[in-house]
Amino acid sequence: MFSLALRSVRHRPGRFAATLLSAFLGAVIVMSFDSLYDTAAQAGVDDTSATTLTTSASVVGGYGTLLVFFAIASTLTVNVRQRAVELSLLRSCGATPAQIKRMVVGEAAVIGAFASLLAIGPAVLGGRALVGAFQDTGQVAHAVDPVFGPVAAGSGAAVTVLAATGAAFLAVRRATRQPAGERRPRGRLRTVGGTAALVLGVCSASATFAFDATDPALMALPAYGAILLSIGFATFAPALLRAALAVLTWPLTALTGASGYLTVHNLRQRAGDLSAVLMPLILFIGVATATLSMQAVENDAVASSGLARSVDDKNLATLNLIVVGIIVVFACIMLINSLYAATVHRRREFGGQRLAGATPGQVLTMVGAESAVLTVTGAVAGTIAALAGLVPFTAVRADGVLPGQGPWIWAATVAVAVAATFGTGLATTRRVLRAPAVEAVAVAA
């Protein structure tokens, strides 16, 4: 089965392009930050520089590992679902579920290893850029030379390959547990995990009130609370989407007519598939809004106190911006990859709708309405997660409810999410509609 996996990757690379891109970028980020460990471990590095480097590597490395797994899992889940017919055919030819799992996991291992090799060069440059950025802000001494060593290469490759194989195993396990076409029940593990994330998120955000306004760890608890709540909402993405449909069905059908009816029908039938698109939306809006707004509150509080910013303050601000930057990149990659793959896979569906009488304009309107429902649902869930962490932090740090810059940060974050969702969905649909309807149905069949 491993030889079959290798042959599959070699002869059909386009199928795995989205997963390879996610794994490559994840490996670049993990290796770049883990190279800070190698830099800090060299002889002659002062204690302040070493503390800055190791703290940054530890914090961002943890976030990076989680985001790599989520990004790869998102693209692999879509990939496995789109190969349902192929996997069913293999089973009908005598392949056992265990053999199929080994094949898909083998494909992921090959992709992860190849992505790790490709990432070494960019990661070397990334590590140098990070050390230079810390030196420019006075957090690392200029005498410290950047080093890319065994910790960066080994940990980056290990994280990428393990994330790819683990995500592939979970995706194919769900796909092979039941016969094709049969509805898959919600996994107990996912339900328990999502509920635990929500409970821990609420507890973490609520614990903020136990700290003083000047406590160095004040921002940690509400930030983790917002992240955990975003993850918890993301695990229940299908249920959130169905709840949004219950509210938005009448506006959709009233405003867009036939396209609205198609939108409601498709979203109800494909809520599970579209959850792969909704998850990065919630994570992006929730985490970016909370972290950037909290940092704005912290900056205003430090400025109003008239005190000079310490190295620890600079480290915290830098880490927050870097973490948000990583989340933005990965969330956009997850969103664009998942939405692109899901839309391309609907070629036959769009062709059938056109043969039944729908115009290309009606199909585009339907996809636009789907994007609107996804964006609204993601914005609502992400905003709730962000507010759960932001309100306690602002109340303790600034004796207020919301920061003055909060609405602008939220609006900018949502604008990026809207642009990514609508831009990817409509552009991909327009490209798919270029093919004649009969040809689209015949090729997809």
Side-chain angles (χ1 to χ4, degrees):
M1 275 297 170
F2 184 77
S3 61
L4 181 61
L6 187 61
R7 190 180 304 114
S8 177
V9 175
R10 183 186 303 163
H11 293 289
R12 301 188 67 180
R15 169 191 291 172
F16 306 100
T19 304
L20 178 61
L21 177 60
S22 298
F24 167 73
L25 292 174
V28 170
I29 291 175
V30 173
M31 288 182 181
S32 296
F33 280 95
D34 283 352
S35 69
L36 300 181
Y37 285 121
D38 295 309
T39 301
Q42 65 180 318
V45 178
D46 60 280
D47 293 340
T48 301
S49 299
T51 300
T52 298
L53 293 170
T54 55
T55 301
S56 302
S58 301
V59 174
V60 181
Y63 279 111
T65 300
L66 289 175
L67 290 171
V68 168
F69 179 81
F70 273 110
I72 296 176
S74 177
T75 54
L76 277 175
T77 298
V78 174
N79 179 281
V80 170
R81 284 176 175 171
Q82 293 175 354
R83 298 170 63 185
V85 175
E86 173 192 341
L87 299 180
S88 178
L89 179 61
L90 287 174
R91 293 186 64 180
S92 65
C93 292
T96 64
Q99 289 175 324
I100 295 175
K101 290 176 184 176
R102 286 198 295 270
M103 180 191 72
V104 176
V105 171
E107 292 171 351
V110 172
I111 293 170
F114 186 56
S116 299
L117 291 176
L118 293 177
I120 292 177
V124 172
L125 299 178
R128 291 180 178 274
L130 287 171
V131 174
F134 284 123
Q135 289 173 336
D136 292 340
T137 58
Q139 298 164 260
V140 173
H142 288 278
V144 176
D145 294 323
V147 174
F148 187 91
V151 175
S155 61
V159 166
T160 305
V161 173
L162 289 175
T165 53
F169 176 80
L170 292 177
V172 74
R173 180 174 178 268
R174 289 193 296 266
T176 56
R177 287 179 67 179
Q178 293 183 332
E182 185 174 335
R183 185 183 179 91
R184 291 186 297 271
R186 171 177 293 277
R188 292 183 180 179
L189 182 61
R190 182 175 181 179
T191 301
V192 173
T195 303
L198 292 175
V199 173
L200 291 175
V202 172
C203 294
S204 181
S206 301
T208 305
F209 294 103
F211 286 79
D212 295 328
T214 58
D215 197 305
L218 176 63
M219 192 183 298
L221 283 176
Y224 278 120
I227 293 171
L228 288 170
L229 285 169
S230 298
I231 293 173
F233 284 137
T235 59
F236 293 103
L240 292 176
L241 188 56
R242 294 188 181 96
L245 278 177
V247 177
L248 299 175
T249 295
W250 182 85
L252 285 174
T253 55
L255 294 175
T256 58
S259 298
Y261 285 103
L262 285 174
T263 300
V264 173
H265 173 75
N266 286 336
L267 289 176
R268 284 174 177 168
Q269 297 296 319
R270 302 176 60 247
D273 295 336
L274 290 174
S275 63
V277 178
L278 187 55
M279 289 175 66
L281 265 175
I282 296 173
L283 289 170
F284 170 54
I285 294 174
V287 178
T289 300
T291 308
L292 289 176
S293 298
M294 289 179 196
Q295 188 58 54
V297 173
E298 180 65 23
N299 292 342
D300 291 342
V302 173
S304 62
S305 68
L307 299 176
R309 300 179 68 187
S310 65
V311 174
D312 290 337
D313 292 333
K314 292 181 180 180
N315 286 345
L316 183 60
T318 303
L319 288 175
N320 286 335
L321 293 176
I322 290 174
V323 168
V324 171
I326 292 175
I327 291 172
V328 168
V329 171
F330 265 96
C332 286
I333 291 172
M334 292 166 65
L335 174 61
I336 292 172
N337 282 348
S338 300
L339 193 53
Y340 175 82
T343 305
V344 169
H345 188 64
R346 299 173 68 183
R347 181 181 287 109
R348 184 179 184 185
E349 174 192 336
F350 293 158
Q353 290 172 351
R354 292 163 63 190
L355 290 177
T359 65
Q362 288 175 322
V363 176
L364 283 171
T365 302
M366 177 194 71
V367 173
E370 291 176 356
S371 300
V373 173
L374 289 171
T375 304
V376 170
T377 307
V380 171
T383 302
I384 293 173
L387 289 175
L390 179 58
V391 170
F393 177 78
T394 307
V396 175
R397 189 70 175 97
D399 293 328
V401 178
L402 291 175
Q405 303 176 40
W408 297 105
I409 293 173
W410 175 85
T413 303
V414 173
V416 174
V418 169
T421 305
F422 278 83
T424 304
L426 294 177
T428 307
T429 302
R430 190 180 296 276
R431 177 183 175 186
V432 170
L433 291 176
R434 292 176 183 173
V438 175
E439 178 182 334
V441 173
V443 172

